[in-house]
Amino acid sequence: MATPRGGIDLGGTKIQTAIVDAGGKVLGESRRPTPTRGGPQDVANEMAAALREAAEQAGVETGDLTGIGVGSPGDADEKTGVVANARNLPGWEGSFPLADVLAKDLGTEVRVGNDVQVATEAEFHLGAAREFSSLLGVFWGTGVGGGLILNGKPWLGRGAAGEIGHMVVKRGGAKCPCGRKGCLEAYAGRAALEVEARRQHEEGHKTDLFKLMEKHEKDRLTSGVWERAIDHGDRLAEKLIDRAVEMLGTGIASAVNLLDVEAVIVGGGLGVRFGDRYMEPLTKEMHKHLFVDERPPAVRVASLGDLGGAIGASLLFAR
Ligand SMILES: [Zn+2]
């Protein structure tokens, strides 16, 4: 039997690891919070510790793994294993040879890839998009990320393809966390939604969003806080999420007009939480903008959940 692979999903709040066998079965997993201070080396140490925990659970030595894949934010260079500009990680504005450092620590080969792209590949090989050969993954969370599979193969462009969150849905529109204006993420990303909710709240618009945030001891408007507010009929929350869904439909339709993919997989924290609930308005908005409207792509919610990123990262050794 082929030896198992390791996968690490490096997120801004948590590090999720998994040991995965050749058939995609998860043999062990572990999760640790991402350090909020220090630098890349501190983050790498936590990643290695979390991977060791998963390996122990699976009953394998890290050195015996076929390899370990890492799904990383920022600019992850698959060829060099260097990760740069991971701005939501502590002290990671510059570049850091993550693959080399982890390989030395864990005793096997390490490859890095873009976090959203590897999660898309996981859905393609093992999740909601198994029967398709071309798809767009849309990861609706803190930001809005995208991944592409075309003709059965990952499409990375020159390394930065799939940035659907920064497609312009409104020229001169809302300010995006990337510093530009009118991007999809400026309307749909969780971070941008929070900024807008806070602005309107301070202007005197009524909302329970921030009360719910405090009640549930969160330091930000999590997808769970948004869901509770909407369940209570909070008008401001409804209005902002409705607009986010409209903008997602618009952006996705534009991407489909360009690429004509067979399927769109919606994942991410907000995507998994709201995907089914908002599937109808999302597809309705998308259909308005589709140029060829007699055969729209299948739109599905990602099915691998929290482990998708780590499983996808392990697939960097199955390409
Ligand atoms: Zn942007």
Side-chain angles (χ1 to χ4, degrees):
M1 196 187 100
T3 52
R5 307 182 277 251
I8 307 178
D9 182 23
L10 173 57
T13 54
K14 65 177 196 299
I15 294 163
Q16 174 75 55
T17 65
I19 305 297
V20 185
D21 75 9
K25 192 167 160 244
V26 175
L27 307 173
E29 60 161 300
S30 171
R31 157 196 298 211
R32 287 187 169 215
T34 307
T36 52
R37 57 194 78 194
Q41 183 64 55
D42 301 285
V43 175
N45 292 343
E46 283 301 297
M47 293 169 75
L51 198 278
R52 278 200 187 89
E53 286 166 5
E56 201 171 309
Q57 212 183 82
V60 291
E61 298 287 333
T62 62
D64 292 336
L65 297 169
T66 304
I68 298 165
V70 177
S72 170
D75 303 331
D77 188 328
E78 291 200 6
K79 290 194 189 81
T80 62
V82 170
V83 174
N85 303 318
R87 290 196 180 83
N88 56 354
L89 299 173
W92 209 316
E93 290 79 24
S95 59
F96 182 78
L98 183 63
D100 285 350
V101 168
L102 286 174
K104 209 172 272 175
D105 194 344
L106 295 165
T108 187
E109 195 190 339
V110 175
R111 291 179 191 161
V112 301
N114 174 276
D115 51 358
V116 174
Q117 181 65 36
V118 301
T120 300
E121 286 171 44
E123 293 296 331
F124 171 63
H125 288 288
L126 303 163
R130 268 173 299 183
E131 76 263 42
F132 302 110
S133 65
S134 66
L135 71 121
L136 167 67
V138 179
F139 288 79
W140 179 24
T142 303
V144 178
L148 281 169
I149 306 281
L150 300 177
N151 280 337
K153 293 203 184 85
W155 174 258
L156 308 178
R158 291 173 298 165
E163 291 291 357
I164 191 170
H166 304 283
M167 285 182 40
V168 177
V169 290
K170 188 169 183 177
R171 230 180 104 73
K175 183 135 196 237
C176 182
C178 77
R180 294 166 190 85
K181 281 184 178 172
C183 303
L184 170 57
E185 185 171 312
Y187 296 94
R190 201 194 51 71
L193 282 165
E194 181 166 337
V195 169
E196 182 60 14
R198 201 175 288 280
R199 190 185 70 76
Q200 295 205 23
H201 183 49
E202 280 163 8
E203 271 184 2
H205 293 272
K206 262 186 62 187
T207 177
D208 288 334
L209 276 167
F210 297 99
K211 255 183 253 163
L212 286 164
M213 180 182 91
E214 276 161 35
K215 188 176 151 208
H216 293 278
E217 296 178 352
K218 304 288 183 192
D219 57 358
R220 61 203 158 88
L221 298 180
T222 60
S223 57
V225 169
W226 282 99
E227 185 173 40
R228 281 188 195 94
I230 286 168
D231 286 344
H232 296 171
D234 188 290
R235 293 287 300 277
L236 180 67
E238 283 173 353
K239 198 178 78 182
L240 289 175
I241 295 293
D242 285 349
R243 188 176 72 161
V245 168
E246 268 184 34
M247 291 303 200
L248 281 163
T250 307
I252 290 170
S254 293
V256 170
N257 286 343
L258 181 68
L259 299 167
D260 194 24
V261 287
E262 294 166 356
V264 176
I265 303 298
V266 181
L270 285 165
V272 168
R273 194 172 287 266
F274 286 138
D276 286 326
R277 185 171 187 159
Y278 284 90
M279 189 53 79
E280 202 193 312
L282 176 71
T283 48
K284 199 173 149 204
E285 189 62 30
M286 180 184 87
H287 290 176
K288 275 193 219 167
H289 302 286
L290 287 179
F291 181 64
V292 178
D293 50 10
E294 58 268 24
R295 48 167 179 76
V299 182
R300 293 185 185 168
V301 180
S303 68
L304 296 173
D306 263 2
L307 276 174
I311 295 170
S314 78
L315 295 175
L316 286 168
F317 280 88
R319 276 186 189 166

